[in-house]
């Protein structure tokens, strides 16, 4: 080679590319290459270097923009045509590799290719390390004008003077190798990092009262007492020829043997309802607070139910959600429901001749006694598991998440909120939401030493909704659209479609449970009324119940206490009554859960205590009716009262009939008439209640609220999550006071203290509404926000009743 043709390597200036966040994604190494690539002066115009496109591990789903890369040009070689590589990236991948496709120039004889080979290997190795970039971050690299001009130069067959002067590197170019966190810190991304609770902060580990030892212990003791009573009853009756003499069906002894056992069993059933409600309420949060990695956290917010549903049919959803033990616990509790019909037919009368004067005596059915004791053993085992599972050390809760307002504390600094963009109008969140490996606890970031409490995903970017909502929504577009015009058109189309759905009455009032649809309610009401009329007619026409009726089955009591007639006319009525009782519970649960949204939809909204702080599903049976009357939530008060009153139906129905031997030697089924009258009254109230269970249109929502995600979809864009006055809350009492605006640091700033409120003070409390509002991203959303802010005289939420 001619020595004169080779000139010393010229010193070039380094320029740092400008980084600008955009929707397109280029190779992550391009940013680093641009920091170390040399740039000639503006007067020089040749293609300096070309680098092969970066290689990644897997193909991707989303189409990316085309890009050109350069590699150091060999001397005495023709300049190759610009590389045009169509790149695509999925949620986790990087651009595809274009190396090895025959686009590079052939090797030049007499020129040492070692520096170029080492350069290429270094580049490929570097890109492999950078392939695990964050799932939602992207960069648009703006090259200097000289490089942009060089890319636009026409391809020449012979090297220019500038190309002859630029020589290949004498040693391989070294690039910095940075970890994932260091790269994100360089691009300005804030990463959410898990942290242990600071010593000066509120220590976590709250467990709701129904799941504490102080509550589960007495319940286990009550079950043990029931088992002991059943065992004693069986053994004593075998050795003493029954228990007591039968006197009549109007005496206290009749009440003890026919009504008292199912009453005690019903107390256990109601207690288990409270325990189940607590399990449903905190199950997703306990799973997210687990320190062991598990696939159970994937999508837990939009798949795990938080409202009780273990009534007529067992709830086996937890088996599918990766929580088989909780599913087994709920199945054990469901089996306990059916101890009521068994307890109703546990005792009967038997004719004894070997106790002096022959007479009827009360005696238990031996097989039923042992079987009921076995069912209570299963209940005890389930309760013991609850004691072990729901302990303080397994909890990351500050307090019991019983209301909508608690979501503000849990998600006000979460990094998963952008996933909920436009989710308020989706009908099935579980089918459309991305799975997240969520965690509940304390967090910090890579750019701040502050600690905060939230639900989030570890080692993922913390993005504000106002700057990330469009980006997250656009990721769901069709990957086949690559041009900017088609993307903009689709974006505008989706935005206009979303706006139409927001204001559509059909979408706003689309969802309610299937059993509260108009056709279902009509069927329930007609069936209940017809059955009630038939029952009353059969009971009182020709005085059939007072005179008695033939059992049409053998009534003789066997040695083990079993009588076919007594069993049938006790078990079957109680079983039907238990079905009616359990069938009403989902109705009660729905009206309790949705009442907050109904109050928020009022014309002037509602105070915090009547809306986002309502916790009817976490309150005790009976207490709900009293609280609802105080809040003037009449439907909740009535339906909750009916749910308690309906418990009398299986109790009375199972003990009202008894087989008696009359003087003429015939056996007839007779009824305890006071109990039968009470049964008819309660059945009439129950049946007529189906005529008024129609949920108003303001109790119908766009989608289900049976999960955390279902409720969070109405809060993700609310300014309540960004309100600095309700951050760093450490007690529930302080949180309630700030939402009410009754403290100096509250929302109204009027300096009122917590205490007894006058009517004037109640009118001045902060009010909240459910409707169309402008979110933190400056766009319209459907959800919950404050009706007015301090100093503002206009409503910030347009409720459904205002838009009529």
């Amino acid at each position: 080679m001619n020595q004169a043709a080779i000139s010393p390597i010229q010193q070039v200036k380094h320029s740092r590319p400008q980084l600008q966040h955009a929707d397109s994604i280029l190779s992550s190494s391009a940013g680093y290459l641009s920091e170390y690539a040399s740039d000639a002066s503006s007067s020089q115009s040749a293609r300096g270097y070309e680098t092969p496109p970066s290689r990644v591990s897997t193909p991707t789903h989303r189409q990316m923009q085309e890009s050109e890369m350069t590699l150091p040009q060999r001397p005495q070689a023709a300049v190759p045509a610009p590389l045009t590589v169509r790149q695509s990236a999925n949620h986790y991948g990087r651009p595809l590799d274009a190396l090895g496709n025959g686009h590079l120039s052939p090797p030049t004889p007499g020129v040492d290719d070692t520096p170029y080979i080492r350069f290429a290997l270094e580049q490929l190795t570097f890109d492999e390390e950078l392939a695990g970039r964050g799932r939602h971050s992207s960069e648009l690299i703006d090259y200097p004008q000289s490089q942009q001009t060089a890319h636009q130069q026409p391809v020449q067959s012979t090297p220019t003077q500038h190309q002859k002067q630029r020589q290949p590197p004498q040693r391989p170019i070294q690039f910095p190798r940075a970890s994932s966190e260091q790269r994100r810190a360089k691009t300005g991304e804030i990463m959410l990092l898990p942290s242990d609770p600071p010593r000066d902060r509120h220590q976590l580990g709250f467990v709701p009262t129904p799941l504490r030892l102080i509550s589960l212990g007495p319940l286990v003791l009550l079950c043990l007492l029931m088992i002991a009573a059943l065992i004693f009853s069986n053994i004593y009756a075998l050795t003493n020829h029954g228990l007591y003499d039968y006197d009549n069906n109007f005496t206290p002894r009749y009440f003890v043997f026919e009504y008292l056992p199912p009453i005690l069993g019903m107390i256990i059933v109601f207690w288990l309802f409270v325990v189940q409600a607590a399990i449903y309420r905190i199950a997703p949060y306990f799973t997210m607070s687990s320190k062991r990695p598990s696939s159970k956290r994937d999508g837990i917010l939009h798949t795990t139910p938080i409202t009780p549903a273990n009534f007529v049919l067992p709830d086996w959803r937890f088996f599918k959600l990766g929580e088989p033990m909780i599913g087994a616990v709920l199945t054990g509790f469901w089996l306990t429901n059916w101890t009521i019909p068994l307890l109703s037919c546990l005792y009967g009368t038997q004719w004894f001749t070997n106790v002096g004067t022959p007479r009827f005596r009360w005696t238990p059915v031996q097989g039923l006694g042992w079987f009921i004791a076995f069912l209570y053993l299963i209940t005890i085992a389930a309760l013991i598991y609850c004691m072990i599972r729901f302990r303080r050390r397994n909890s990351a809760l500050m307090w019991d998440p019983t209301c909508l307002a608690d979501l503000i504390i849990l998600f006000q600094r979460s990094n998963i909120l952008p996933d909920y963009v436009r989710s308020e109008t989706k009908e099935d969140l579980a089918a459309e939401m991305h799975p997240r490996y969520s965690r509940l606890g304390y967090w910090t970031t890579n750019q701040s030493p502050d600690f905060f409490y939230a639900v989030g995903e570890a080692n993922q970017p913390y993005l504000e909704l106002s700057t990330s909502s469009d980006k997250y929504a656009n990721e769901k577009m069709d990957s086949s659209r690559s041009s900017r015009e088609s993307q903009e058109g689709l974006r505008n189309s989706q935005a206009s479609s979303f706006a139409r759905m927001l204001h559509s009455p059909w979408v706003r009032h689309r969802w309610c449970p299937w059993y509260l649809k108009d056709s279902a309610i009509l069927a329930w009401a007609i069936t209940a009324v017809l059955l009630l009329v038939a029952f009353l007619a059969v009971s009182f026409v020709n005085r059939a119940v007072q005179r008695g009726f033939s059992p049409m089955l053998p009534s003789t009591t066997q040695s083990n206490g079993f009588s076919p007639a007594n069993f049938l006319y006790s078990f079957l009525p109680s079983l039907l009554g238990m079905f009616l009782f359990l069938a009403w519970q989902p109705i009660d649960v729905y009206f309790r859960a949705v009442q907050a949204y109904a109050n928020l939809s009022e014309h002037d909204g509602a105070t915090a205590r009547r809306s986002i702080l309502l916790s009817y599903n976490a309150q005790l049976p009976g207490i709900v009716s009293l609280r609802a009357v105080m809040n003037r939530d009449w439907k909740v008060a009535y339906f909750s009262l009916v749910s308690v009153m309906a418990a009398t139906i299986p109790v009375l129905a199972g003990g009202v009939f008894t087989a008696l031997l009359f003087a003429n030697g015939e056996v007839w089924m007779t009824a305890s008439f006071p109990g039968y009258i009470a049964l008819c009254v309660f059945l009439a109230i129950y049946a007529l209640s189906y005529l008024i269970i129609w949920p108003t249109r303001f109790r119908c929502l766009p989608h289900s609220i049976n999960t955390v995600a279902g409720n969070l979809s109405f809060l993700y864009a609310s300014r309540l999550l960004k309100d600095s006055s309700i951050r760093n809350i450490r007690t529930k009492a302080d949180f309630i006071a700030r939402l009410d605006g009754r403290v100096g640091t509250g929302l109204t700033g009027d300096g009122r203290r917590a205490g007894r409120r006058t009517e004037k003070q109640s009118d001045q409390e902060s009010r909240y509404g459910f409707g169309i509002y402008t979110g933190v991203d400056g766009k319209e959303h459907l959800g919950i926000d404050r009706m007015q802010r301090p100093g503002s005289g206009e409503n910030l939420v347009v409720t459904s009743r205002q838009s009529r």
Side-chain angles (χ1 to χ4, degrees), residues 250-265:
F250 300 99
T251 62
R253 194 172 294 177
Y254 185 89
F255 174 84
V256 169
F257 285 103
E258 290 292 345
Y259 296 127
L260 184 60
I263 288 176
L264 295 177

Side-chain angles (χ1 to χ4, degrees), residues 404 508 511 587-602 605-617 624 627-629 631-639 695-696 698-701 705 711 770 801:
L404 290 172
R508 166 61 180 87
W511 176 86
I587 299 174
D588 180 34
V589 169
Y590 167 77
F591 277 93
R592 291 195 205 184
V594 82
Q595 185 60 42
Y597 290 95
N599 293 343
L600 288 166
S601 299
E602 294 179 358
T607 61
R609 292 180 180 271
R610 291 196 64 240
S611 57
I612 59 176
L613 289 175
L614 279 183
S615 56
Y616 287 142
N617 271 332
V624 176
R627 295 293 299 270
V629 168
N631 292 328
R632 293 171 295 176
D633 297 330
W634 308 116
K635 276 198 170 183
V636 173
Y638 177 76
F639 293 146
T696 61
F698 301 108
R699 285 184 171 86
C700 297
L701 298 170
I705 55 172
N711 292 279
F770 179 82
R801 303 191 184 191

Side-chain angles (χ1 to χ4, degrees), residues 509-518 590 695 699-701:
H509 310 291
R510 174 173 54 195
W511 176 86
C512 70
W514 66 268
Y515 49 83
L516 290 177
K517 300 287 187 180
D518 291 344
Y590 167 77
R699 285 184 171 86
C700 297
L701 298 170

Side-chain angles (χ1 to χ4, degrees), residues 636-764:
V636 173
Y638 177 76
F639 293 146
S640 181
L641 183 63
V642 172
S643 70
V644 177
M645 180 273 301
T648 62
I649 297 177
V651 173
L652 293 173
V656 73
F657 292 108
T658 304
L660 291 181
L661 178 63
F662 285 80
N664 58 2
E666 295 182 355
V667 177
W668 291 81
M669 298 301 301
T670 60
S672 176
F673 208 67
Y676 197 83
I677 295 297
L679 176 63
C680 293
V681 172
F682 289 130
L683 280 174
I685 296 175
Y686 179 89
L688 296 177
S689 297
Y690 278 98
L691 299 175
I692 59 175
I693 64 174
W694 263 283
T696 61
R697 61 195 304 263
F698 301 108
R699 285 184 171 86
C700 297
L701 298 170
H703 53 70
S704 171
I705 55 172
N706 295 332
T707 61
V708 175
N711 292 279
L712 185 60
S713 64
F714 300 125
L715 274 170
Y716 73 92
S718 175
R719 297 185 184 274
L720 291 173
L721 297 178
K722 303 300 180 183
D723 197 327
S724 59
S725 64
I726 51 178
R727 286 196 175 184
N728 300 321
I729 304 294
R730 301 191 178 186
T731 64
K732 184 68 174 283
D734 186 20
F735 183 47
I736 294 174
R738 296 191 184 210
L739 289 175
D740 280 343
R742 293 182 286 112
V743 292
T745 58
L747 304 176
T748 58
D750 54 6
R752 292 195 302 271
R753 296 182 179 180
R756 188 173 182 179
R757 296 165 293 163
T758 64
E759 182 177 355
K760 182 178 180 180
Q761 288 175 334
S762 298
D763 294 338
Q764 295 176 350

Side-chain angles (χ1 to χ4, degrees), residues 261-281:
I263 288 176
L264 295 177
M266 192 61 73
I267 293 175
I268 296 178
V269 168
F270 274 115
W271 204 329
L272 290 178
F273 281 176
V274 177
V275 174
Q276 289 179 82
I279 291 176
Y280 276 94
R281 194 165 60 245

Side-chain angles (χ1 to χ4, degrees), residues 269-270 272-277 280 307-317 330-331 333-338 515 578-590 592 617 621 643:
V269 168
F270 274 115
L272 290 178
F273 281 176
V274 177
V275 174
Q276 289 179 82
Y280 276 94
T307 54
N310 196 41
F311 300 114
V312 176
L313 298 176
D315 189 359
W316 289 339
R317 286 176 292 180
L330 295 179
T331 303
F333 291 163
W334 180 81
L335 291 175
T336 309
N337 296 335
W338 306 106
Y515 49 83
M578 196 65 188
F579 174 81
L580 297 179
F581 165 71
L582 294 176
W584 189 266
Q585 302 309 309
I587 299 174
D588 180 34
V589 169
Y590 167 77
R592 291 195 205 184
N617 271 332
S643 70

Side-chain angles (χ1 to χ4, degrees), residues 120-154:
L121 292 176
E122 192 74 27
Q123 168 68 16
L124 294 178
T125 305
F126 182 62
D127 275 350
E128 286 291 342
E129 291 187 355
L130 299 184
R133 188 173 179 83
R135 66 178 67 178
H136 296 301
S137 61
S138 61
E139 298 176 2
L140 178 64
I141 303 178
D142 295 335
Y143 290 93
Q145 182 65 29
S146 60
Q147 294 187 13
Q148 295 179 4
T149 305
H151 280 284
Q152 299 173 359
Q153 295 295 327

Side-chain angles (χ1 to χ4, degrees), residues 395-446:
S395 172
L397 291 170
M398 281 187 177
W399 56 69
D400 194 356
T402 59
C403 59
L404 290 172
D406 293 324
L407 297 180
I408 300 175
I409 297 297
L410 294 172
F411 292 93
Q412 60 182 345
R413 301 189 68 178
S414 175
N415 65 342
I416 67 175
L417 291 179
D419 285 355
Y420 290 81
V421 171
R422 301 177 182 175
S423 63
E424 59 263 46
T425 59
K426 298 183 183 300
E427 189 172 7
D428 188 2
L429 294 181
E432 301 188 33
M433 296 293 293
H434 293 297
R436 283 281 194 171
Y437 189 81
S438 303
R439 172 188 176 272
L440 172 63
Y442 278 101
W443 302 86
T444 187
T445 65
N446 60 336

